[in-house]
């Protein structure tokens, strides 16, 4: 647990709109500065081998962008990432090692190429990168299918011939096919019906245990996060506002936003819940509020919160948050 | 016990597609009373939304209500034509849809979309209409409603839009509202806000409400009674306590057990094996039989309802005994 | 908005420059207009004099720069053949073309939108099938061929309409047009219908597709759920949204009306710009060809611009996005 | 895929349009085999066959003799007839005061026509049709081999005229099923070859444009930024102009010929493919399976060609079908305007244009049949494209 | 017929279509109309039309009779080889009432060379004019550089306009000491009137319509029709449709294929005459090898007179004239039309003899023929493309491998002038109404400086022909000159320099009740038209 497998430091991503050169010229001529969207702002995380880190937040909080940067799909604007101490850039330059981080996606339909058979979906990369010789690919795929609980004949079918849960299994098998060490799951169970969701969550727990995989689990569903993750990072408008062990976070959330989330989280109970009015809307990431992004909705915000951008503070060992006024509850 | 506001009896809504008949709703019966929230829960394809649209009389080709009756305060609705039903829609029964981004016409101002709801049913002065719209918007917690009336939908956030939709639904003081997953597309914090507003309106106005959702958690906190649907058929119906606390149907049980928060973190979830059967090839028996560990041969043949209490009814040959 | 307009302007200027070079060089490659214009009995000295008079003795790039310089000042040159300023000739011909295009446009719109709407709302009904069959034939039948059939049918077999040429002209309110006279209308009806047929068919299809697309959207269902009358839903919700894709197509088709005028004007010998273009190509009247093609390009750029503006009227979402495309 | 095929097979209209389109394709491929004659072979054409109506037999023209006849004081003299000709002599006998019978010997020769030319003013030929402009009279198939020349007033004592005798032609057994055009081309053959040209132009132009457009579309989608902007501006530019005008301008500059027509159509059509491919590819690139492919570190070329391209193809194929139809239509329009194909290798459009002139003289077959064939071909291909598109769009298919 | 009547009745009932013109109005549909009102602007057939009707020249070269008729020149006499004394018509006056003076004639001749931006000047017609002076008493003296028998014929193309300078110019072949000339635009927009013709232009819309009004000031016999409306109807079918549909009374260039329908309508008659427009084939007789011939051992086979003769024999002129041209053509054996000054009656058209043609080819060393491209314009002559195709078929029947290529005229003549063709089809008319200029233009050795061989793009050249033509050019005696021209024609015939095909017929379709004169120069004379 001491050694980290993935280290993320001050990771940011911002982009501006309008890449069309004519548009840029026109903008320049008319003196318009195109707004900059900061999707992810100074995120710092470290993940230990075998650990499951949950990232939770509402839409527009930058969790998916973060996942894609870690997976090496989206370029980063600033910051550093290290895999087992090695800078990410050098890792990515070696094709085989770049496969160490894999991803499972949200939409079980769009994440599988409808024109490819399952065998090709799962086996293609393994063959291309020489992990498995082409002649052995049949067995290799069958083995993987068995591992995710699909019958071997599934290899010859197309994605649309499967149900949602089965498709997600194919997606998991595809990621596993290149022997990753880190698996990033972006809302991997959000689109599934409850009964199927449970199946897939169980599968994740199985492969994590079997392979000792490190996982980054991104979700808006606190219930799923709580069930699966060792630690949780809560994001709000591009920033990590709280990071703690799962039990600590659920037991004693310190950031007012985390509290609000937990309060809003529906749970099965026999008690008729007294819904309380929660104030405010989620601001647009195009024009985030100054200072602490959360201050317009925050019940404990002060004048200071409007101006000062709070830094991460450690509350307790392993429990950090980004609030100027928070006290342990 | 008050008289039923809505009485649905043996409703069958089928779709005659090229591939065959899709029996989306089969023999569904339930009632709704004033001031009550009835939750309909089910996974995708369970027929919960079609049930809602059937009540609205808005089943599109190639679907139609094959048999059964829907009575609103004693008036039969299934025999009305689409045009006749117009006088009930909005006025007596209002509906709220899942995706607030799509429910409002993107090229019309909020004002016009709300005005037309009143204008179509009542002959009221414009000023009066305006006042009622402003009132309705403030009632659902929209700040500066006058301004919002002039806005276009895209100028509002998702949560705001859903409030506008709800305000529109409430405009004519309907007897009941059908809400089809009204908060699913919203973020947790916004979801809580919306539910708060709706609940308040129900309590204040004594409306009947059907709340369709796939999410048992939300329903358990909101609904008075819950109906569980699976593959077009009712599995179990009862008060929230009876469904959450005393579930007798294997499907309901499994559904509850598979929710992560009902399990200990890190432990394996209870799961239902297999997938929902195709609605094209349903037999007479229990549609859940193929996935049910308690099923026997008889389950593929037939299933009969059992009345467990005044309010609790179950369609299962082998219910759990408690 | 300013940035948007600027962008369109920059784009237009670049396009116009490129286009004028292409047209200019292309025409230079074809042949020497002097040979076409000068009588076969003319002497070589006459020929050289004519070449000089037409400015064709200068190097090509000089000819182009002279042209460009003049064009910027609004002088598009003088027709080799007519010896009139090109602008004057174009303006003389413009009313006939505009008249034809306008009538065709009105015919196309008034037929296609109701028909397309109906076909989209009741896709399986017999009239809808008939409408779609009509539109299929309409988009398939070449304009010149149906023009011929129309002439045969209404000009020869049952000669109720005059074929060929524009009718009597009158001037009211400062507008000179043949549409003020009955004779004018009798002349314009047939070619306008011929010209409208393709557009009509295309617009029927676009309207239908848009209608089908829109009528399944949630807000339509919601409008019905509010108890709104069916025709109000159709007009206020379905049509208004279906108009958005329609506007682009209509914009392009307005331009096409003027372009396909080339064929219709040839078949019906309508004295408009299209016929002028074909004639100019045949006699290689370079200034006239260049001016016409450039003018057409300008027209299309202008139409596109108008379409963009129309968008903001019809679709309020565009206004906020137009200035900025967020990717 | 097989589901798609099944849906397609279920639609009778779709299958019919496919079959008709295929039939046209076969006609195009096997035109030289099916066509009764080769309409492009100038040496086979004979003007005697020109403008024959439907179902007329092809004939070997009869012998034609031109003889100057001089009648002076009741005696007819004429030049010697060539040896071996069927007609042995020309006669001119007075048949009263004001009339003269011109005939041939032997009298039993089968004549197609007897033409009298160059009569002095005041004379005309009974029962003959006078040429509208020229001073000659033609007696078609004179019953007893004679033409009667009559005078309004007194018959001049000396008359000299040219008699042109045509013996009856004999049939060859070949029949012009759809008549002939003004060059004596068998219309059936010309139509078959016209289909061939139309189909070749359609396929080659639409095909090349497709390859070009797909390539540029994929490039734009993948590269984004400036490359995308340049390509898409070019596309906008092309789309902003009506195909006909672009074609007209290109052909005005390059001159006519099959290759140039094809080039013009490619210039017009590549942009449709580029736009469609790009927009579909952009949508596909936004899908998670592409991101998956990226995390699997597959090369961009592989992602574009193996993953993205196949997903663009359904829409591109629809476009291809519709573009074949519009290419055919465009080619015929350009040919009609006289800037398309060379005269000796007429396409359907040109056949129609040629026949247009004859419509006023009731010679409908020259432009009617090619027109019907052209229409049928375009309708069939358009219908096919329509159905394919509907099947791709679940809303429109039911 | 019945159907048509019914249709007309219907049309009358609906009153949508105009029924008939007012009696004083003549409506004419022409294939091409004048591009300018300015009589000196652009030398082209369609401009000659308008000029003759609105602006008289000194004389009129009658295209129907071949005679030179007096106009502004009441009479003339040749005082020496190079001096012509012209007596001006004393009654002639412009439409503003000003009488015609010698200064007007001088101004007009001077202006010919000085029309700004003209695309094709009339200066060729005054090439030989050395000086023009006012001889007093309403007479002018015209001096030519060398004896020029066609001086007046040439001047028949120069419309006379009123001298606006207020002084009498001194003629020279440059600017005559004047630097401001009447502007073409002025003529076109009506601010300047040509003023001395039978008609005045009241409305001019290029390429669409010209409206003429009778000039009541005209000095001679007035035209019958008050108004003449000239419409441009370049499209054959449109022209016919306009006639049949009663929107015009007269059309020119009646399409051959429509003759039948015009006749069967029963309301029209045709008016026709052979025109001087000769359609011919011309082989490249200069380049070796020639560009568009192959399989001929790298030689130009057309340099061999036997091959040229074979071409002449391979053409069935009667067939072309009667079938392709529907009788609207007169088979030609020489350049000059029968009845035109200079025609040689001894030269009959070549007989059609493919066997002999084949034999000649074999004799010349091409028993299997050779490959050749026949070039033709697609949109210049009546049925030109069809004729070219028929010719190609005939040539292939004597064993040549012929491909036909056609170009629109906009490209065609440029290519021909650049000698890109080996065998091409073209046409040329006698603008002056006599044969010498046509011979020089077609058969004279190509020499731009001398103005010879302008249409001789195959570069036929014969010393003998040139000698005869040069002599004829300087011979004022008509009989002697005619002999020389005939000798030149004979030489061309014997050299097989040309393959003359036919002379086109000018055909007009005229509504019954109207008399309209056909014209060998294919121009339209409205002032002789009148009701029957």
């Amino acid at each position: 647990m001491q050694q980290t497998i993935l280290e993320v430091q001050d990771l940011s991503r911002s982009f501006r709109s309008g890449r069309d050169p004519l548009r840029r010229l026109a903008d320049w001529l008319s003196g318009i500065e195109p707004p900059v969207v900061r999707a992810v702002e100074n995120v710092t995380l470290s993940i230990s081998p075998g650990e499951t880190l949950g990232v939770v937040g509402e839409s527009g909080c930058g969790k998916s962008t973060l996942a894609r940067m870690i997976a090496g799909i989206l370029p980063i604007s600033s910051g550093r990432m290290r895999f087992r101490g090695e800078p990410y850039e050098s890792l990515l330059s070696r094709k085989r090692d770049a496969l160490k981080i894999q991803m499972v996606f949200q939409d079980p339909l769009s994440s599988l190429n409808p024109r490819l058979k399952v065998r090709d979906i799962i086996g293609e990369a393994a063959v291309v990168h020489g992990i498995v010789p082409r002649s052995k690919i049949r067995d290799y795929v069958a083995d993987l299918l068995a591992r995710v609980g699909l019958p071997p004949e599934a290899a010859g079918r197309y994605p649309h011939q499967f149900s949602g849960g089965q498709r997600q299994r194919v997606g998991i098998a595809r990621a596993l096919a290149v022997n990753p060490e880190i698996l990033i799951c972006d809302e991997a169970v959000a689109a599934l019906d409850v009964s199927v969701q449970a199946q897939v969550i169980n599968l994740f727990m199985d492969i994590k245990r079997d392979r000792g995989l490190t996982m980054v689990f991104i979700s808006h569903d606190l219930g799923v996060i709580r069930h699966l993750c060792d630690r949780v990072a809560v994001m709000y408008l591009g920033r990590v506002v709280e990071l703690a062990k799962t039990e600590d976070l659920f037991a004693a959330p310190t950031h007012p936003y985390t509290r609000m989330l937990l309060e809003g989280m529906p749970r099965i109970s026999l008690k008729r819940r007294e819904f309380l009015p929660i104030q405010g809307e989620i601001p647009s990431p195009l024009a985030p509020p100054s200072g602490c992004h959360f201050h317009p909705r925050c019940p404990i915000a002060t004048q200071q919160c409007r101006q000062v951008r709070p830094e991460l503070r450690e509350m307790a060992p392993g429990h950090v948050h980004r609030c100027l006024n928070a006290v342990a509850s | 016990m008050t008289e039923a506001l809505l009485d649905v009896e043996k409703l069958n809504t089928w779709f005659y597609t090229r591939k065959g008949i899709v029996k989306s709703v089969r023999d569904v019966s339930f009632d709704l009373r004033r001031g009550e929230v009835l939750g309909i829960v089910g996974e995708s394809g369970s027929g919960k939304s079609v049930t809602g649209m059937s009540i609205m009389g808005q089943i599109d080709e190639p679907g139609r209500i094959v048999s059964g009756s829907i009575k609103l305060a004693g008036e039969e609705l299934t025999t009305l034509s689409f045009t006749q039903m117009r006088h009930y829609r909005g006025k007596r029964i209002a509906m709220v849809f899942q995706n607030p981004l799509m429910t409002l016409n993107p090229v019309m101002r909020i004002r016009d979309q709300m005005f037309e709801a009143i204008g179509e049913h009542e002959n009221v002065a414009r000023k009066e209409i305006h006042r009622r719209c402003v009132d309705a918007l403030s009632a659902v917690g929209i700040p500066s409603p006058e301004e919002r009336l002039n806005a276009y939908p895209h100028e509002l956030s998702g949560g705001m839009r859903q409030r506008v939709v709800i305000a529109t639904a409430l405009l004519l003081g309907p007897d009941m509202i059908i809400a089809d997953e009204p908060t699913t597309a919203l973020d947790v914090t916004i979801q809580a806000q919306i539910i708060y507003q709706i609940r308040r309106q129900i309590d204040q106005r004594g409306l009947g409400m059907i709340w369709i959702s796939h999410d048992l958690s939300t329903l358990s906190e909101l609904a008075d009674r819950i109906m569980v649907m699976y593959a077009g058929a009712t599995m179990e119906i009862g008060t929230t306590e009876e469904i959450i606390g005393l579930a007798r149907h294997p499907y309901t049980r499994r559904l509850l057990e598979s929710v992560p928060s009902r399990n200990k973190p890190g432990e394996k979830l209870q799961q239902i094996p297999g997938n929902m059967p195709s609605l094209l090839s349903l037999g007479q028996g229990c549609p859940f039989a193929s996935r049910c560990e308690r099923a026997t041969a008889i389950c593929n043949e037939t299933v009969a309802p059992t009345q467990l209490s005044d309010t609790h009814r179950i369609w299962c040959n082998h219910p759990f005994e408690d | 908005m300013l940035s948007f307009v600027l962008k369109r302007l920059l784009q237009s200027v670049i396009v116009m420059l490129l286009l004028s070079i292409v047209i200019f060089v292309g025409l230079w490659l074809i042949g020497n207009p002097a040979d076409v214009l000068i009588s076969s009995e003319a002497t070589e000295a006459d020929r050289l004099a004519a070449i000089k008079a037409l400015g064709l003795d200068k190097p090509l790039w000089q000819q182009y720069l002279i042209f460009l310089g003049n064009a910027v000042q609004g002088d598009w040159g003088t027709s080799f053949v007519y010896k009139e300023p090109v602008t004057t000739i174009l303006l003389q011909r413009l009313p006939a073309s505009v008249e034809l295009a306008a009538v065709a446009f009105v015919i196309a719109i008034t037929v296609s939108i109701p028909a397309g709407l109906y076909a989209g709302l009741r896709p399986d009904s017999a009239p809808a099938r008939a409408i779609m069959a009509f539109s299929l034939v309409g988009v398939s039948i070449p304009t010149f061929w149906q023009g011929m059939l129309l002439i045969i049918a209404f000009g020869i077999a049952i000669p109720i309409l005059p074929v060929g040429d524009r009718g009597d002209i009158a001037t009211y309110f400062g507008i000179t047009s043949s549409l003020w006279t009955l004779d004018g209308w009798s002349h314009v009806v047939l070619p306008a219908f011929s010209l409208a047929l393709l557009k009509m068919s295309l617009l029927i299809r676009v309207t239908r597709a848009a209608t089908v697309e829109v009528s399944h959207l949630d807000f339509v269902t919601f409008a019905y759920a509010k108890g709104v009358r069916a025709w109000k839903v159709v007009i206020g919700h379905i049509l208004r949204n279906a108009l958005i894709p329609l506007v682009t197509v209509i914009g392009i088709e307005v331009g096409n009306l003027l372009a396909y005028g080339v064929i219709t004007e040839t078949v019906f010998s309508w004295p408009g710009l299209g016929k002028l273009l074909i004639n100019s190509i045949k006699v290689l009247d370079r200034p006239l060809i260049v001016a016409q093609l450039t003018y057409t390009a300008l027209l299309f750029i202008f139409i596109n611009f108008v379409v963009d503006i129309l968008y903001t009227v019809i679709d309020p979402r565009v206004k906020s996005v137009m200035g900025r495309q967020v990717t | 895929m097989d589901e798609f095929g099944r849906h397609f097979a279920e639609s009778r209209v779709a299958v019919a349009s496919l079959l008709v389109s295929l039939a046209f394709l076969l006609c195009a491929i096997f035109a030289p085999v099916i066509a009764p004659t080769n309409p492009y072979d100038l040496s086979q054409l004979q003007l005697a066959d020109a403008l024959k109506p439907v179902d007329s037999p092809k004939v070997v023209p009869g012998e034609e003799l031109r003889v100057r006849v001089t009648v002076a004081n009741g005696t007819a003299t004429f030049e010697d007839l060539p040896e071996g000709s069927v007609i042995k002599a020309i006669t001119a006998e007075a048949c009263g005061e004001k009339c003269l019978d011109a005939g041939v010997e032997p009298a039993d020769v089968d004549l197609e026509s007897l033409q009298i030319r160059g009569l002095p003013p005041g004379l005309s030929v009974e029962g003959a049709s006078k040429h509208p402009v020229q001073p000659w009279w033609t007696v078609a198939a004179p019953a007893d081999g004679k033409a009667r020349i009559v005078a309004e007033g007194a018959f001049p004592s000396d008359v000299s005229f040219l008699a042109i005798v045509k013996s009856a032609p004999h049939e060859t057994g070949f029949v012009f099923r759809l008549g002939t055009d003004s060059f004596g081309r068998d219309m059936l053959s010309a139509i078959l070859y016209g289909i061939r040209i139309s189909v070749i132009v359609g396929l080659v132009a639409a095909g090349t444009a497709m390859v070009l457009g797909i390539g540029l579309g994929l490039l734009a989608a993948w590269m984004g930024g400036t490359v995308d902007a340049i390509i898409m501006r070019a596309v906008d530019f092309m789309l902003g102009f009506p195909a006909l005008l672009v074609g007209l301008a290109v052909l005005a500059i390059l001159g006519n010929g099959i290759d140039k027509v094809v080039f013009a159509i490619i210039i017009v059509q590549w942009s449709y493919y580029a736009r469609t491919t790009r927009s579909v590819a952009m949508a596909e690139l936004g899908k998670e399976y592409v991101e998956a492919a990226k995390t699997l570190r597959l090369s961009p070329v592989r992602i574009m060609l193996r993953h993205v391209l196949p997903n663009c193809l359904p829409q591109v194929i629809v476009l291809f079908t519709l573009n074949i139809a519009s290419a055919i239509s465009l080619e015929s329009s350009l040919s009609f305007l006289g800037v398309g194909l060379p005269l000796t290798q007429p396409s359907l459009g040109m056949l129609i244009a040629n026949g247009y002139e004859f419509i006023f003289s009731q010679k409908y077959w020259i432009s009617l049949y090619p027109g019907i064939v052209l229409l049928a071909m375009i309708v069939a291909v358009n219908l096919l494209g329509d159905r394919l598109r509907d099947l791709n769009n679940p809303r429109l298919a039911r | 017929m019945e159907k048509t009547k019914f249709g007309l009745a219907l049309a009358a009932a609906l009153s949508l279509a105009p029924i008939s013109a007012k009696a004083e109005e003549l409506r004419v549909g022409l294939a091409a109309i004048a591009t300018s009102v300015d009589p000196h602007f652009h030398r082209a057939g369609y401009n000659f039309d308008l000029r003759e009707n609105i602006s008289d020249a000194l004389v009129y070269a009658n295209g129907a009779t071949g005679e030179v008729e007096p106009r502004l020149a009441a009479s003339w006499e040749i005082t020496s080889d190079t001096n012509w004394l012209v007596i001006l018509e004393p009654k002639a006056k412009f439409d503003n009432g000003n009488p015609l003076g010698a200064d007007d004639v001088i101004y007009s001749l001077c202006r010919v060379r000085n029309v700004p931006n003209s695309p094709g000047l009339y200066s060729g017609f005054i090439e030989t004019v050395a000086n023009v002076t006012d001889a007093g008493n309403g007479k002018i003296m015209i001096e030519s550089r060398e004896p020029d028998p066609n001086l007046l014929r040439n001047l028949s193309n120069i419309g006379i306009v009123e001298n606006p300078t207020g002084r009498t110019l001194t003629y020279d072949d440059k600017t005559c000491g004047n630097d401001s000339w009447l502007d073409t635009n002025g003529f076109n927009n009506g601010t300047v009137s040509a003023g001395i013709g039978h008609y005045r232009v009241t409305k001019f819309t290029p390429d669409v319509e010209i409206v003429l009004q009778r000039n009541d000031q005209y000095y001679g016999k007035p035209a019958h029709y008050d108004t003449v409306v000239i419409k441009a109807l370049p499209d054959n079918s449109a022209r016919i449709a306009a006639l049949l549909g009663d929107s015009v009374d007269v059309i020119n260039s009646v399409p051959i294929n429509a003759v039948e329908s015009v006749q069967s309508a029963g309301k029209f008659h045709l008016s026709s005459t052979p025109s001087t427009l000769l359609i011919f084939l011309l082989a490249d007789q200069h380049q070796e090898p020639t560009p568009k011939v192959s399989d001929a051992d790298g030689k130009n086979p057309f340099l061999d007179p036997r091959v040229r003769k074979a071409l002449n024999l391979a053409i069935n002129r009667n067939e072309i004239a009667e079938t392709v041209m529907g009788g609207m053509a007169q088979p030609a054996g020489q350049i000059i039309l029968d009845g035109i000054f200079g025609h040689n009656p001894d030269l009959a058209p070549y007989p059609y003899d493919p066997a002999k043609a084949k034999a000649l080819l074999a004799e010349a060393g091409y028993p299997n023929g050779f490959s050749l491209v026949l070039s033709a314009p697609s949109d210049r002559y009546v049925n030109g493309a069809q004729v070219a195709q028929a010719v190609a078929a005939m040539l292939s029947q004597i064993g040549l491998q012929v491909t036909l290529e056609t170009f629109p005229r906009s490209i065609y003549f440029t290519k021909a002038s650049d000698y890109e063709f080996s065998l091409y089809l073209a046409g040329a008319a006698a603008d002056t109404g006599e044969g010498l200029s046509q011979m020089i233009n077609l058969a004279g050795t190509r020499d731009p400086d001398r103005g010879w061989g302008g249409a001789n793009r195959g570069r036929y050249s014969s010393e003998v022909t040139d000698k005869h033509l040069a002599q004829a050019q300087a011979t004022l005696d008509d009989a002697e000159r005619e002999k020389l021209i005939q000798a030149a024609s004979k030489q061309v015939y014997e050299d097989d320099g040309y393959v003359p095909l036919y002379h086109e017929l000018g055909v007009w379709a005229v509504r019954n009740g109207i008399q309209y004169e056909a014209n060998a120069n294919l121009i339209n004379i409205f002032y002789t038209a009148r009701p029957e």
Side-chain angles (χ1 to χ4, degrees), chain B residues 23-91:
Chain B
K23 300 177 178 174
S24 295
V25 175
R26 291 178 302 142
D27 288 339
V28 169
S29 307
F30 61 90
D31 60 355
L32 176 73
R33 272 151 286 182
R34 288 184 191 278
E36 176 190 56
V37 177
L38 171 71
I40 300 182
V41 73
E43 299 175 88
S44 41
S46 62
K48 54 190 192 304
S49 292
V50 178
T51 307
M53 293 311 280
S54 301
I55 297 168
M56 293 299 291
Q58 280 185 261
I59 297 296
D60 279 340
E61 285 291 313
R64 59 188 160 92
I65 297 175
V66 179
S67 65
S69 107
I70 301 168
K71 286 202 177 96
L72 181 70
E75 288 175 73
E76 179 61 49
L77 298 184
T78 51
T79 52
L80 298 176
S81 71
F82 188 85
T83 324
Q84 289 168 320
M85 259 310 278
R86 182 177 84 74
H87 301 289
Y88 291 80
R89 284 187 217 115
K91 179 84 181 151

Side-chain angles (χ1 to χ4, degrees), chain C residues 30-32 35-44 46 50 53 80-85 92-93 157-163 165 182-183 186 266 269 271 275-276 279 281-282 284, chain E residues 3 7 10-11 14-16 18 35 41-43 116-119 123-124 184-185 188 206-208 231-235 238 241 379 409-411 414 417 429 431 441 448 451 454-455:
Chain C
I30 322 176
N32 195 334
D35 287 310
V36 187
L37 292 170
I38 297 172
S39 159
S40 53
E41 301 223 332
T43 62
E44 187 66 15
D46 284 346
F80 290 166
V81 178
Y82 304 117
K83 174 64 184 107
E84 295 254 349
Q92 269 171 357
R93 293 307 198 86
I158 320 167
I160 50 169
L161 290 171
V163 284
D165 208 3
L182 189 62
D183 180 49
S186 74
T266 305
S269 68
K275 212 172 119 209
L276 181 68
N279 289 353
I281 288 177
K282 283 185 176 159
L284 216 65
Chain E
K3 212 174 178 182
L10 196 62
L14 293 172
S15 79
L16 281 171
T35 54
F41 174 60
H42 180 193
R43 177 177 174 174
N117 295 326
S118 162
S123 41
T184 300
N185 276 331
N188 289 349
D207 225 14
V208 178
K231 290 186 171 170
L233 297 166
D235 187 67
D379 56 356
R409 61 181 155 191
S410 53
I411 305 173
T414 308
S417 297
D431 280 359
N441 189 29

Side-chain angles (χ1 to χ4, degrees), chain A residues 260 264 273 275-282 297, chain B residues 140 159-160 163 183 187-199:
Chain A
M260 194 195 263
R273 172 154 154 224
F275 287 95
L276 290 171
I278 297 174
Q279 43 176 302
E281 301 262 330
I282 305 169
R297 304 172 73 191
Chain B
V140 293
M160 275 301 176
R163 283 170 213 243
T183 59
D187 282 311
V188 185
T189 54
I190 307 301
Q191 193 175 337
Q193 291 173 350
I194 299 282
I195 292 176
Y196 165 78
Q197 302 289 0
I198 293 182
R199 184 77 241 185

